[in-house]
Amino acid sequence: MSSDPQGLDGGLTNYGDRDFARYLRRSMARSMGLSNELLNKPVVGIAISPSGFNNCHRYMPELTAAVERGVLAAGGLPRPFPTISLGEVFLNPTSMMFRNLMAMDVEEMIRAQPMDAVVMIGGCDKTVPAQLMGAVSANKPAIQLVTGPMMTGRHKGERLGACTDCRRFWGKFRAGEVDAVEIAQVEGRLAVTAGTCAVMGTASTMACISETLGMSLPGTAAIPAVDSQRLVAAEESGKAAVRLASQPLTPRQVVTRESVENAFRMLMALSGSTNAIVHLTAVAGRAGIRISPERLNQISDETPVLVDLKPVGSGYMEDFNAAGGVGAVLRELRPLLHLDCMTVDGRTLRERLDEPAGWIDRGVVRTREAPVSPLGGLIALSGTLAPDGAIFKRAAATESLFEVEGRAVVFENLEDLAQRIDDPELDVHANDILVLKNAGPVGAAMPEAGYLPIPSKLARAGVKDMVRISDARMSGTAYGTIVLHVAPEAAVGGPLAIVQSGDRIALSVARKRIDLLVPPDEIARRLQAWTPPPEPKRGYAALYRRSVTQAPLGCDFDFLAGDVPAGVAPA
Ligand code: FES
């Protein structure tokens, strides 16, 4: 890449006559009412995704204006451009199916349009991963700006935040502890401002990961969406992008093996969303970086949970921001971090952390000496039920269920689950293990269905948690003793495909194992009789089905990942 800004003259349209292409482009740009002076400035693209189907991006127009202000103040020409928008709860079958589509949109539009740097504004769960994936592949200087989390609502004297409290109240409703009138009141009090979910769910986890990777400006991950400081962060991101345009620092210089390891450490210290493992794996994969399950577990075992936020703890993102945010956690983790990693403000992580810390609320961000938990929040499991791995959020699970063997109660797919889970005749007991099949990336675009509901007859009897296993994902705001992302998934013929009700399954968190206690020859016999589900024939669904990888590879498309050859063991 040239170190000189190319501005509007970059990447000219190909007519076989460069001067004509330049002349035509400038004449069309003039039709937007831009002066010649501005047309000669470095160009900063602003990737935006406001949508009437994305509540989390409601304030994006105001953020965009603030970024434009920053770009202009620093001597650049801001050019907002749209990409698709992924509003988590408005997409069918799942938002996960469209993350890679948005990543392709972001990558191609950054590459195709004449910009020297880009600020990407995202927030809702899949948008930040998609933007980071696209930026790493396009490899033009890029800054991630997040929309910021919601503020909490109030109900009967307690604070409510989407969506941990959504699930908590829905569980009470199913158990008959909350009536229809109250659940309707709560519905209007869970998500009361613009911004992303108010707890350490996937959106907040990815915001913190982006800051830790060095792709967002320091101190910006946790600022609430409605706080005036978020607009300041937007303006500063615009200014920083103009600096990057003249002193290029590319995403592949920022997203390195070392910064990815730092980000995994942050994920553990936050006890963040299990989804973030898939997303960070995909972002790293775009740079040809893979972190093995063994290294993930090593990082987890070395990194204490330091942040006391829902769904694992008690606080909300507004508390985290006031407590010191990502900077406070990074300072506690400092001895474990790679400090020479670059950030998009042009400094190393070491230089950032050498600055004074400011006040830290130790009720929210703990010290390493007095952590929320001495071990990281997430671990990778493997075993005969998940030969290529599975994920378990130990910090959100019930410790008495960590070493158990139980009888499988199997649901063949999401429809089967919906039809039978509340059947009073369902043969299920509190110490059984619930198993959901065919909800993996290929089978069902990996919905957040891993948080199987407790069968209502058990919920009404007071059962709060059971071991649940699937190839699905789980919302970052959910909790329970839940094994997720089982790979290979059922729809591609993993052992999960042939589990039957009545089989015995063993979970050992200490040994990081998940095993199907069925003799190998019986597993082989059942697999021989297994047939794959039909494939979609056209459109994006067919492309997705053909190309999506399994969870341990980040569910990226096989033709978009970086330069790690398939089948090569990661370092
Ligand atoms: Fe957008 Fe939760 S719905 S972050």
Side-chain angles (χ1 to χ4, degrees):
M1 153 179 268
S2 162
S3 62
D4 297 319
Q6 295 180 298
L8 269 196
D9 292 348
L12 288 169
T13 312
N14 199 348
Y15 301 110
D17 180 344
R18 290 182 58 79
D19 290 341
F20 173 73
R22 181 172 184 274
Y23 156 78
L24 190 60
R25 178 175 287 177
R26 288 181 74 85
S27 113
M28 294 302 166
R30 295 284 285 274
S31 86
M32 291 188 266
L34 295 165
S35 66
N36 247 333
E37 185 193 351
L38 271 183
L39 292 184
N40 292 328
K41 304 276 187 193
V43 177
V44 173
I46 308 171
I48 57 173
S49 50
S51 163
F53 293 104
N54 193 337
N55 57 295
C56 300
H57 292 190
R58 177 156 67 87
Y59 272 1
M60 201 171 280
E62 205 176 349
L63 278 179
T64 308
V67 176
E68 290 188 80
R69 197 161 67 228
V71 173
L72 287 168
L77 171 61
R79 290 291 84 196
F81 64 95
T83 68
I84 60 165
S85 186
L86 306 179
E88 184 63 25
V89 299
F90 295 96
L91 288 158
N92 179 280
T94 74
S95 62
M96 187 64 186
M97 180 163 166
F98 303 105
R99 183 201 64 179
N100 296 349
L101 183 64
M102 183 173 181
M104 290 171 75
D105 187 354
V106 170
E107 173 185 345
E108 298 302 336
M109 288 304 101
I110 291 175
R111 188 181 286 127
Q113 299 174 125
M115 64 191 79
D116 303 299
V118 59
V119 177
M120 305 173 299
I121 314 180
C124 197
D125 283 20
K126 308 301 175 292
T127 59
V128 171
Q131 290 179 329
L132 290 172
M133 290 161 72
V136 170
S137 292
N139 208 31
K140 278 188 192 173
I143 296 179
Q144 180 75 59
L145 172 69
V146 297
T147 57
M150 293 178 204
M151 303 293 283
T152 52
R154 296 286 186 281
H155 177 68
K156 292 186 176 174
E158 71 167 319
R159 291 192 294 169
L160 296 186
C163 212
T164 301
D165 295 320
C166 319
R167 293 168 207 286
R168 184 165 59 86
F169 270 90
W170 193 250
K172 286 184 178 196
F173 178 59
R174 285 177 54 82
E177 296 167 24
V178 160
D179 64 18
V181 173
E182 185 170 3
I183 199 75
Q185 287 173 343
V186 168
E187 181 187 286
R189 294 171 180 169
L190 285 161
V192 293
T193 75
T196 49
C197 287
V199 298
M200 190 52 79
T202 304
S204 298
T205 305
M206 287 309 302
C208 297
I209 280 179
S210 179
E211 186 177 326
T212 306
L213 279 171
M215 288 297 293
S216 298
L217 289 185
T220 59
I223 303 167
V226 295
D227 190 317
S228 58
Q229 286 302 308
R230 173 126 320 271
L231 294 173
V232 176
E235 189 180 304
E236 293 299 334
S237 297
K239 291 180 194 164
V242 176
R243 286 197 299 275
L244 287 186
S246 58
Q247 298 153 23
L249 177 70
T250 63
R252 290 195 187 203
Q253 291 171 301
V254 176
V255 179
T256 61
R257 174 169 296 279
E258 288 73 26
S259 71
V260 169
E261 287 204 353
N262 288 346
F264 270 114
R265 268 198 208 284
M266 176 59 67
L267 173 60
M268 300 304 168
L270 298 171
S271 191
S273 164
T274 47
N275 291 323
I277 291 189
V278 178
H279 298 319
L280 182 52
T281 299
V283 172
R286 293 298 183 99
I289 298 162
R290 281 180 59 194
I291 304 295
S292 69
E294 295 75 25
R295 180 65 181 143
L296 183 73
N297 282 337
Q298 191 184 7
I299 290 172
S300 183
D301 287 346
E302 292 169 352
T303 311
V305 177
L306 297 174
V307 177
D308 186 5
L309 291 192
K310 293 190 178 200
V312 172
S314 54
Y316 294 89
M317 284 303 287
E318 61 199 35
D319 306 318
F320 184 51
N321 183 55
V326 168
V329 182
L330 287 171
R331 283 183 172 82
E332 276 311 303
L333 293 177
R334 181 171 180 147
L336 300 170
L337 297 174
H338 303 288
L339 296 172
D340 292 324
C341 297
M342 291 302 298
T343 62
V344 287
D345 72 346
R347 295 180 301 168
T348 62
L349 181 57
R350 183 193 315 280
E351 287 169 322
R352 173 187 177 181
L353 298 184
D354 280 345
E355 285 187 344
W359 182 75
I360 295 171
D361 181 349
R362 291 300 178 194
V364 178
V365 179
R366 306 284 178 79
T367 62
R368 276 191 302 134
E369 291 69 37
V372 176
S373 158
L375 302 171
L378 308 170
I379 55 170
L381 305 175
S382 65
T384 54
L385 187 53
D388 291 347
I391 292 298
F392 183 75
K393 188 169 184 177
R394 62 181 160 192
T398 305
E399 212 169 330
S400 59
L401 296 175
F402 278 13
E403 308 296 323
V404 292
E405 183 190 317
R407 186 184 68 134
V409 174
V410 175
F411 301 91
E412 290 299 321
N413 50 41
L414 291 157
E415 293 71 37
D416 186 30
L417 175 72
Q419 275 174 16
R420 292 195 297 124
I421 189 73
D422 290 334
D423 184 343
E425 302 300 316
L426 182 67
D427 178 14
V428 65
H429 303 280
N431 54 0
D432 288 337
I433 293 178
L434 304 179
V435 177
L436 171 65
K437 300 180 187 176
N438 293 305
V442 168
M446 218 177 179
E448 291 186 338
Y451 177 76
L452 278 71
I454 304 295
S456 63
K457 70 177 184 183
L458 296 181
R460 287 177 187 276
V463 176
K464 296 275 187 252
D465 195 8
M466 297 172 72
V467 177
R468 289 161 268 179
I469 300 172
S470 73
D471 43 13
R473 294 177 302 115
M474 171 173 88
S475 165
T477 60
Y479 49 87
T481 308
I482 296 173
V483 177
L484 301 155
H485 310 179
V486 167
E489 63 174 296
V492 298
L496 185 66
I498 53 80
V499 181
Q500 297 174 355
S501 287
D503 288 346
R504 307 288 295 177
I505 292 174
L507 168 68
S508 171
V509 175
R511 293 188 301 122
K512 301 187 172 77
R513 297 279 307 180
I514 184 75
D515 286 300
L516 177 60
L517 305 179
V518 170
D521 55 341
E522 172 63 10
I523 291 179
R525 190 190 64 74
R526 291 187 199 173
L527 279 173
Q528 249 183 355
W530 174 83
T531 52
E535 289 186 18
K537 291 278 179 275
R538 69 169 297 279
Y540 179 71
L543 174 71
Y544 174 89
R545 170 67 182 82
R546 271 201 308 273
S547 310
V548 71
T549 59
Q550 294 289 286
L553 294 177
C555 301
D556 201 356
F557 287 160
D558 50 12
F559 60 88
L560 292 174
D563 52 5
V564 177
V568 172

